[in-house]
């Protein structure tokens, strides 16, 4: 058993926090997925207004989660930040650009004297919903397949010794890493498994977006068309997901020798992690079943409209457990395909004991934040979105998107 104040415990604790934030980020991609239907389902001005406004009440949650995820990763595992954010910068810049487009679009789409026109901002929202989500999947996929970087372990030791005395993350972390790929992050697009995960996440977000419309919008025509679209997108998502999981379970993984900390390749590593952590495997299976049940409710049930919560909750469990097998059980969560021994684990890439301990005290406020988000969600979702709701907001001078 871990001692609750030990470095080993805190490293595992903060990886759980990272896994939770990653799962929340994927859950909130229903916003991006819904945006990709602006032109398919929003053929009438009324339908487009319903879609934009029902998503506009939630878009900040996904954006905030992305920022929090990046900040938590930097504070708890700064060496990953040094390797990926400074080396694979084109992938991250494109991702952040997609989310900037989203923020600008919701802010200015319906402003008076909009010189670009609402259609331009609708295109921006589509780019955010498709390319942005695809890039998230590709970047996460590279955490399973690897990236071309090198870590100078001797210099890293000096930097970590400095942080032990100062209690802060050193600003020289980027100097200990070097990226050996010519495309600076876009190399991830050359791996079929990364591309597969990117498209899997795109179609998952589209399914969640459609389920959200079914749950929140009251318009019979939009409801029928959403169910029809859901059947096709659910088929594509399930097919891609099964292929990805099959490839993941069959591939060699990056294992760590517990006694020497040497990194080596282990056949069926991620499948072994599931089997050696049965509780995590059970949560994964429950998540998969919950997603399938939610998709079935949305596509075929004409009475129940709660498929969004089953599918969204299941997606949360699936992503959470995938991150656990990525970082736990002596596994390199960010492997180097250029120099195997440069691969990052939660042990060799974390902040020092003091930093993790202080941040752990701060993390005790997370339940309060979650409670606040739940309260805001409840307040904004007390009524379903329909034509009458839009007209009421317009009369009361409530900002419409």
């Amino acid at each position: 058993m871990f001692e609750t104040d030990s470095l080993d415990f805190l490293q595992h604790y903060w990886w759980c926090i990272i896994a939770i934030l990653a799962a929340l980020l994927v859950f909130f991609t229903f916003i991006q997925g819904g945006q990709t239907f602006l032109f398919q389902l929003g053929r009438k001005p009324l339908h487009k207004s319903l879609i934009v406004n029902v998503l506009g009440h939630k878009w900040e949650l996904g954006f905030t989660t992305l920022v929090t995820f990046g900040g938590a990763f930097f504070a708890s595992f700064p060496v990953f930040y040094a390797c990926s954010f400074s080396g694979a910068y084109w992938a991250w810049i494109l991702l952040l650009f997609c989310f900037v487009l989203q923020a600008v679009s919701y802010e200015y789409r319906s402003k008076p004297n909009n010189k670009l026109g609402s259609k331009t901002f609708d295109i921006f929202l589509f780019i955010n919903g498709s390319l942005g989500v695809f890039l998230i999947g590709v970047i996460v996929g590279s955490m399973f397949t690897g990236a071309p970087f090198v870590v100078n372990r001797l210099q890293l030791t000096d930097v970590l010794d400095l942080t032990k005395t100062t209690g802060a993350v050193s600003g020289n972390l980027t100097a200990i890493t070097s990226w050996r790929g010519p495309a600076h992050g876009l190399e991830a697009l050359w791996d079929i498994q990364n591309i597969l995960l990117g498209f899997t996440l795109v179609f998952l977000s589209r399914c969640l977006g459609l389920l959200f419309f079914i749950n929140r919008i009251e318009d019979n025509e939009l409801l029928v068309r959403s169910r029809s679209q859901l059947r096709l997108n659910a088929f594509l998502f399930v097919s891609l997901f099964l292929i990805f999981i099959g490839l993941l379970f069959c591939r060699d993984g990056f294992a760590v020798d517990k006694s020497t900390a040497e990194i080596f390749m282990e056949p069926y590593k991620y499948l072994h992690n599931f089997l050696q952590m049965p509780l995590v495997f059970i949560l994964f299976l429950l998540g998969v079943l919950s997603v399938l049940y939610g998709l079935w409710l949305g596509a075929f049930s004409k009475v129940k409209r709660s498929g969004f919560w089953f599918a969204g909750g299941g997606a949360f469990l699936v992503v959470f457990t995938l991150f656990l097998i990525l970082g736990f059980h002596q596994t390199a969560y960010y492997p180097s395909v250029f120099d195997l021994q440069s691969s990052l684990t939660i042990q060799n890439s974390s902040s020092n004991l003091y930093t993790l301990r202080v941040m752990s005290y701060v993390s005790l406020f997370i339940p309060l934040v979650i409670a606040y988000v739940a309260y805001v969600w409840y307040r904004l979702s007390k009524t379903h979105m329909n034509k009458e709701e839009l007209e009421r907001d317009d009369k009361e001078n409530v900002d419409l998107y």
Side-chain angles (χ1 to χ4, degrees):
M1 297 296 292
F2 299 123
E3 295 181 11
T4 57
D5 201 33
S6 70
L7 179 60
D8 198 33
F9 170 81
L10 292 173
Q11 288 166 340
H12 284 78
Y13 172 80
W14 272 100
W15 187 256
C16 284
I17 299 293
I18 296 297
I20 290 172
L21 290 173
L24 279 175
L25 179 60
V26 170
F27 170 78
F28 284 125
T29 57
F30 77 84
I31 302 166
Q32 279 73 32
Q35 292 167 184
T36 62
F37 289 102
L38 279 173
F39 299 102
Q40 285 181 280
L41 299 181
R43 298 172 188 173
K44 296 181 179 180
L46 171 62
H47 292 162
K48 183 169 290 187
S49 294
L50 289 171
I51 290 172
V52 171
N53 281 277
V54 77
L55 295 173
H57 290 159
K58 303 291 191 300
W59 77 268
E60 295 98 333
L61 298 177
F63 193 93
T64 302
T65 303
L66 176 64
V67 174
T68 306
F69 174 77
F73 229 137
F74 168 68
S76 54
F77 299 97
V79 183
F80 169 80
Y81 188 95
C83 289
S84 183
F85 283 65
S86 65
Y89 53 79
W90 279 122
W92 287 106
I93 287 175
L94 285 175
L95 175 61
L96 294 175
F97 176 74
C98 289
F99 276 82
V100 169
L101 287 180
Q102 181 194 39
V104 171
S105 298
Y106 279 115
E107 180 66 25
Y108 294 104
R109 181 182 181 276
S110 297
K111 294 293 184 183
N113 302 320
N114 177 6
K115 295 182 179 180
L116 294 178
S118 60
K119 187 174 181 180
T120 300
F121 290 109
D122 292 342
I123 294 173
F124 289 168
L125 290 176
F126 180 85
I127 293 173
N128 170 252
S130 52
L131 180 60
V133 175
F134 176 75
L135 288 172
I136 291 175
V138 169
I139 291 171
V140 173
S142 68
M143 299 176 75
F144 288 98
T145 59
F149 63 89
V150 174
V151 177
N152 186 332
R153 291 294 174 191
L154 294 178
Q155 192 170 352
L156 173 62
T157 302
D158 294 337
V159 171
L160 292 181
D161 287 340
L162 177 62
T163 62
K164 288 179 182 179
T165 59
T166 62
V169 177
S170 173
N172 297 321
L173 276 173
T174 54
I176 68 169
T177 68
S178 58
W179 196 265
R180 301 302 175 90
H184 288 281
L186 299 183
E187 299 93 347
L189 295 172
W190 303 340
D191 191 297
I192 186 62
Q193 191 166 334
N194 297 341
I195 296 175
L196 184 62
L197 182 57
F199 281 115
T200 300
L201 196 55
V202 167
F203 283 104
L204 171 62
S205 69
R206 284 169 64 88
C207 290
L208 292 177
L210 290 168
L211 288 169
F212 185 69
F213 296 157
I214 294 171
N215 182 258
R216 298 307 313 162
I217 297 179
E218 288 185 349
D219 183 278
N220 289 332
E221 183 180 352
L222 197 57
L223 180 64
V224 171
R225 293 170 63 188
S226 294
R227 292 188 190 279
S228 176
Q229 286 286 337
L230 181 60
R231 297 185 187 103
L232 172 62
N233 282 272
F235 172 77
L236 293 173
F237 160 67
V238 172
S239 301
L240 292 170
F241 176 74
L242 291 177
I243 295 172
F244 171 77
I245 290 298
L247 291 176
L248 181 65
F249 284 175
C250 293
R251 71 172 290 127
D252 294 347
F254 299 82
V256 184
D257 187 284
K258 193 171 184 179
S259 57
T260 64
E262 180 183 0
I263 312 246
F264 63 95
M265 303 302 297
E266 178 183 326
Y268 309 106
K269 171 60 177 174
Y270 301 107
L271 177 60
H272 291 165
N273 283 2
F274 264 136
L275 297 178
Q276 292 165 352
M277 295 185 288
L279 179 59
V280 175
F281 192 38
I282 291 173
L283 290 176
F284 172 79
L285 293 178
L286 288 176
V288 171
L289 293 176
S290 183
V291 170
L292 294 176
Y293 181 62
L295 294 175
W296 182 86
L297 282 180
F300 300 106
S301 176
K302 297 182 179 180
V303 179
K304 295 183 178 181
R305 303 172 67 177
S306 57
F308 170 74
W309 295 110
F310 284 100
F316 178 93
L317 287 177
V318 170
V319 175
F320 176 69
T321 53
L322 286 177
F323 262 77
L324 291 188
I325 68 164
L326 174 64
F328 282 4
H329 214 275
Q330 303 301 315
T331 309
Y333 71 83
Y334 197 48
S336 171
V337 296
F338 190 87
D339 175 27
L340 193 60
Q341 302 311 314
S342 292
S343 301
L344 303 185
T345 69
I346 63 174
Q347 286 80 22
N348 67 20
S349 65
S350 74
S351 295
N352 59 74
L353 177 61
Y354 172 81
T355 302
L356 293 179
R357 183 186 298 156
V358 171
M359 291 196 308
S360 298
Y361 299 147
V362 177
S363 71
L364 297 178
F365 292 97
I366 290 178
L368 296 178
V369 176
I370 294 175
Y372 173 75
V373 171
Y375 174 75
V376 172
W377 184 294
Y378 169 75
R379 295 291 297 179
L380 293 175
S381 305
K382 291 183 69 175
T383 58
H384 287 76
M385 184 63 66
N386 51 37
K387 180 180 179 181
E388 291 72 23
E389 182 70 13
L390 288 176
E391 292 175 348
R392 182 186 66 82
D393 288 346
D394 186 42
K395 290 179 181 179
E396 295 180 358
N397 293 321
V398 176
D399 288 338
L400 295 176
Y401 294 99

